[in-house]
Amino acid sequence: MTVLTLAADVSGERADQFLSRSVAGLTRSAAQKLMEQGAVTLKGSPVKKNAKLDAGTVLEVSLPDPQPLDVAPQNIPLDVVYEDEDVIVVNKPVGLVVHPAPGHPDGTLVNALLYHCGDSLSGINGQLRPGIVHRIDRDTSGLIIAAKNDAAHLALSAQLEDHSLARTYEAVAVGRFREDSGTVDAPIARHKTDRKKMAVDPAGRRAVTHWSVLGRYEGYTHIQCRLETGRTHQIRVHMAHVGHPLLGDTVYGAKRPVKGLAGQCLHAKELTFRHPRTGEQITVTCPLPDWFQEQLDRLRREGA
């Protein structure tokens, strides 16, 4: 069993919401279940799921040991960009699903990590996402970090929360941006009618994407995006919201696939984090995949 001590950082937030925000991989329903079991206490007394917390309130959370995985290790080749005894950073190709889900029971990044790392992955995220601190979409390529032990997992999750774990993407958006840089600050929630999609929604969670132009082409713009928050499909939703869906995005943009594209033109190119053991700031990068670079070359040939 892992026991965590967590201090509320804002006043008025529900206890279950605070827990799901503070513990990586812990859903709100899972947080509520822990509370029902008496695993969340304040000065030794159980905390109710709807309790409103004051800033500075300290909760003690007892997380059960991870259950044995019902996920098989699979020898799937990994492009490892960085690895040590605490963390591993992988350059994920387009098409590789991060964790098992309905329709994708195996052949995922988790299966590959279990084979590559053996028993050294963190269990904080529970049964289906061992070691996974954050995730990227199946049809997005680029860097993703996983923790090899619980201490590293908690440290990296805290960096996600305070934005010191920085993620920078490159993308090709449809249309020409008039400004050279800007910020999209628009809350995101699950789409009201299509539950597989996300949407800008005033009732959603705050989402902030900073963007800058890297190149302008006929009908398209090559941009860099830096995430301040990490909502599901954030860059894709934000760019579509401002009228510039990503090239190749058949969910939020044109419905027909683009010839020569393996996925949407979105690549997680750079990742910066503080090492959970040493505190050293580490930045890792990976080049654009060939299919992405070929699209840029084609746009250049067709004229800027």
Side-chain angles (χ1 to χ4, degrees):
M1 179 177 292
T2 301
V3 178
L4 307 178
T5 301
L6 303 173
D9 53 353
V10 296
S11 293
E13 187 174 23
R14 279 176 55 123
D16 55 356
Q17 185 175 355
F18 166 67
L19 283 184
S20 63
R21 179 171 64 83
S22 302
V23 181
L26 189 69
T27 64
R28 195 162 175 177
S29 60
Q32 292 172 355
K33 187 174 181 180
L34 285 175
M35 292 179 177
E36 291 168 0
Q37 296 169 344
V40 181
T41 59
L42 170 60
K43 297 180 179 178
S45 298
V47 177
K48 294 182 178 180
K49 63 184 180 182
N50 61 352
K52 297 293 182 68
L53 304 178
D54 294 325
T57 298
V58 177
L59 301 183
E60 190 170 89
V61 185
S62 299
L63 295 174
D65 292 331
Q67 297 300 308
L69 286 168
D70 189 22
V71 179
Q74 291 179 297
N75 187 8
I76 300 169
L78 289 176
D79 180 5
V80 178
V81 180
Y82 176 91
E83 184 177 12
D84 60 27
E85 62 183 326
D86 296 297
V87 299
I88 180 171
V89 181
V90 173
N91 179 16
K92 187 191 83 66
V94 161
L96 181 63
V97 176
V98 171
H99 61 87
H104 300 282
D106 56 19
T108 70
L109 178 62
V110 164
N111 296 99
L113 286 171
L114 287 171
Y115 183 91
H116 180 87
C117 300
D119 295 331
S120 64
L121 288 174
S122 160
I124 288 288
N125 258 349
Q127 228 173 2
L128 291 181
R129 289 191 284 174
I132 302 296
V133 177
H134 67 106
R135 72 181 202 177
I136 55 179
D137 302 334
R138 178 185 64 181
D139 291 332
T140 298
S141 59
L143 298 173
I144 184 168
I145 189 169
K148 288 188 170 185
N149 53 67
D150 291 352
H153 200 146
L154 291 170
L156 292 171
S157 297
Q159 291 178 47
L160 270 179
E161 188 64 31
D162 68 16
H163 313 310
S164 57
L165 194 158
R167 291 160 290 166
T168 302
Y169 291 71
E170 287 193 20
V172 175
V174 176
R176 289 173 67 96
F177 285 73
R178 286 179 293 181
E179 298 83 6
D180 291 332
S181 62
T183 296
V184 183
D185 187 344
I188 291 176
R190 185 71 57 183
H191 196 284
K192 286 183 170 58
T193 57
D194 187 344
R195 305 306 290 175
K196 294 182 179 180
K197 296 174 62 174
M198 308 300 289
V200 168
D201 185 332
R205 300 177 68 188
R206 186 171 187 239
V208 181
T209 303
H210 305 284
W211 59 267
S212 58
V213 172
L214 298 176
R216 290 183 171 89
Y217 307 99
E218 187 62 38
Y220 300 95
T221 306
H222 181 198
I223 60 174
Q224 180 184 85
C225 293
R226 183 174 61 82
L227 292 180
E228 184 172 317
T229 57
R231 309 304 173 215
T232 302
H233 299 177
Q234 179 172 314
I235 294 174
R236 300 165 63 192
V237 171
H238 273 173
M239 291 302 106
H241 177 67
V242 298
H244 297 286
L246 300 188
L247 178 64
D249 190 342
T250 57
V251 175
Y252 299 101
K255 302 305 179 185
R256 297 180 62 182
V258 177
K259 184 178 180 180
L261 285 187
Q264 61 254 355
C265 276
L266 180 61
H267 178 69
K269 188 173 184 180
E270 184 176 286
L271 180 70
T272 298
F273 62 98
R274 296 191 311 273
H275 193 278
R277 186 183 299 268
T278 67
E280 175 190 2
Q281 181 166 292
I282 295 174
T283 297
V284 290
T285 61
C286 62
L288 295 173
D290 291 343
W291 60 268
F292 193 127
Q293 187 61 56
E294 287 167 3
Q295 286 297 315
L296 285 177
D297 294 341
R298 178 183 64 81
L299 293 174
R300 291 191 186 99
R301 289 195 302 270
E302 293 177 356

